[in-house]
Amino acid sequence: MTSPSSFPKFRRALAAGVGSLVLLSVAGCSKPAAKSMSRDYLVYFGTNVSSEQENSIFLYRLTTATGLLTPVSAYRGGASPTYLTMPAGRRNLYAVSETQTFQGAKGGGVSSFAVDQHTGALTLLNQQPSTGASPCYIALDRAEKAALVANYVGGNVAMLPIGANGQLAAPSATDQHQGSGPHKNQTGAHAHCIIPDPANTYAFAVDLGTDQVVAYRLGAAQGQLTRLPEPAFVAKPGAGPRHLVFHPNGKQAYLINELNSTVTALAYDASAGKFKELQSVSTLPKGFTGENSCADIHVSPDGLYLYASNRGHNSIAVFAIDTSNGTLAPIQYMSTQGKTPRNFALTPSGRLLLVANQNSNNVVTFRVDGQNGLLAPTGQTIEVPSPMFVQIVEDFTR
């Protein structure tokens, strides 16, 4: 694993541009930068830095006018905090530790941090086991009563209640997936994502190993996650579904399939907690014959465009969404200017997109055209060690 100390640009920029800030551990706090700086968002980057003794979560400020990312500070976020989530109130941040051992036992971990409202700094509150190896996804139910975690190697999911102070309780519910698929990467269950539906009635776990979207009755306030008898959706054999995202209208959803490089458009039956396929479309341009696996997927805030990342082709595929029926039409394949775009995120305005290129250790900023959804590089790139997740929030420190 590349050490953050080998990323001199972060340290030089931190010293020159934010001279009053101090690079801190999770137990510390930082001072705000000069008020004359123009910035609109805070951005937390989760990474695959595996040492608990090194900084593994990085905080930047994003200036919307230029796409410039300015370093603020960095924190010891635990080993491999590869996926993050933050409640709407922004007083806490939650991170998985994508490890196969945690606190001396088999499995991964989940951490809760307090967020300083004046600086954005992180302070560790507590940690809990994830009940499975290599947790790779964390989300909150919509009432923010519990964290939902998907364990990739463990092939299971867990619910962890959240206390009034933001601390995590021990898992109150777990469920082990079973099965396999025809692809070489499908020798067993691999839970890769779990999210609540818009009404907070159901939770859906996407399993890459079994080609299924598993449905649960969601009772976060009671600490309950009750599996339904039938899956919410069964993908094509060998598709390897990875992430699921809902359209803002709540009537459609989109499933990105890692192993066959496709996106499946789905109609959502909110009463039954099930999906029906509308369309399946490739994320790759015609004529591409190299190896590829898909990773992340997002819908623009206005619901007009969908973005999906390709690892191998190293691009963001852009689709126009037909608002009458939810189907997709490809309109662009934009190079991410790096290797292995594991994760990316849109700003709440939908006008900037940040891509985390895991294997080239860089994050690249793109402008999003408000008229047609197309991407254009801003020319802004930063170095981040093994970036795995991008969490963008409005700058609540101003």
Side-chain angles (χ1 to χ4, degrees), residues 1-172:
M1 176 56 59
T2 305
S3 168
S5 63
S6 65
F7 286 79
K9 288 185 179 180
F10 181 93
R11 293 183 286 118
R12 288 200 301 269
L14 188 65
V18 221
S20 62
L21 291 170
V22 181
L23 201 62
L24 301 166
S25 74
V26 294
C29 61
S30 58
K31 298 179 181 179
K35 291 182 180 297
S36 60
M37 293 179 65
S38 173
R39 50 193 176 265
D40 298 297
Y41 295 103
L42 295 179
V43 186
Y44 295 86
F45 294 108
T47 71
N48 200 29
V49 174
S50 59
S51 171
E52 293 187 2
Q53 304 308 312
E54 294 181 342
N55 293 312
S56 54
I57 297 178
F58 295 81
L59 174 60
Y60 280 73
R61 280 193 170 92
L62 172 64
T63 303
T64 56
T66 61
L68 176 67
L69 284 159
T70 304
V72 177
S73 47
Y75 309 94
R76 292 180 182 176
S80 299
T82 60
Y83 214 91
L84 316 174
T85 191
M86 182 176 280
R90 301 179 293 253
R91 295 192 175 277
N92 298 96
L93 182 140
Y94 301 95
V96 299
S97 286
E98 193 171 337
T99 61
Q100 298 198 38
T101 57
F102 179 74
Q103 296 180 344
K106 185 177 180 180
V110 190
S111 300
S112 170
F113 299 89
V115 179
D116 189 295
Q117 297 302 289
H118 300 290
T119 65
L122 303 179
T123 301
L124 181 66
L125 292 177
N126 78 323
Q127 296 178 306
Q128 295 287 354
S130 70
T131 73
S134 300
C136 61
Y137 197 100
I138 183 170
L140 305 181
D141 83 288
R142 297 188 184 275
E144 300 178 355
K145 299 294 185 183
L148 305 170
V149 177
N151 296 297
Y152 181 81
V153 172
N156 64 342
V157 297
M159 171 185 283
L160 291 83
I162 297 173
N165 60 357
Q167 291 192 12
L168 293 163
S172 61

Side-chain angles (χ1 to χ4, degrees), residues 161-238:
I162 297 173
N165 60 357
Q167 291 192 12
L168 293 163
S172 61
T174 62
D175 185 59
Q176 181 66 50
H177 296 179
Q178 302 289 342
S180 60
H183 192 277
K184 63 180 181 179
N185 293 348
Q186 295 179 310
T187 55
H190 293 304
H192 217 309
C193 165
I194 181 168
I195 63 169
D197 77 340
N200 214 39
T201 301
Y202 298 100
F204 298 106
V206 179
D207 196 300
L208 181 145
T210 64
D211 291 318
Q212 292 184 352
V213 177
V214 181
Y216 297 90
R217 176 71 67 173
L218 181 58
Q222 298 77 35
Q224 296 176 351
L225 194 63
T226 306
R227 186 169 179 169
L228 300 187
E230 300 294 331
F233 181 73
V234 178
K236 291 180 175 62

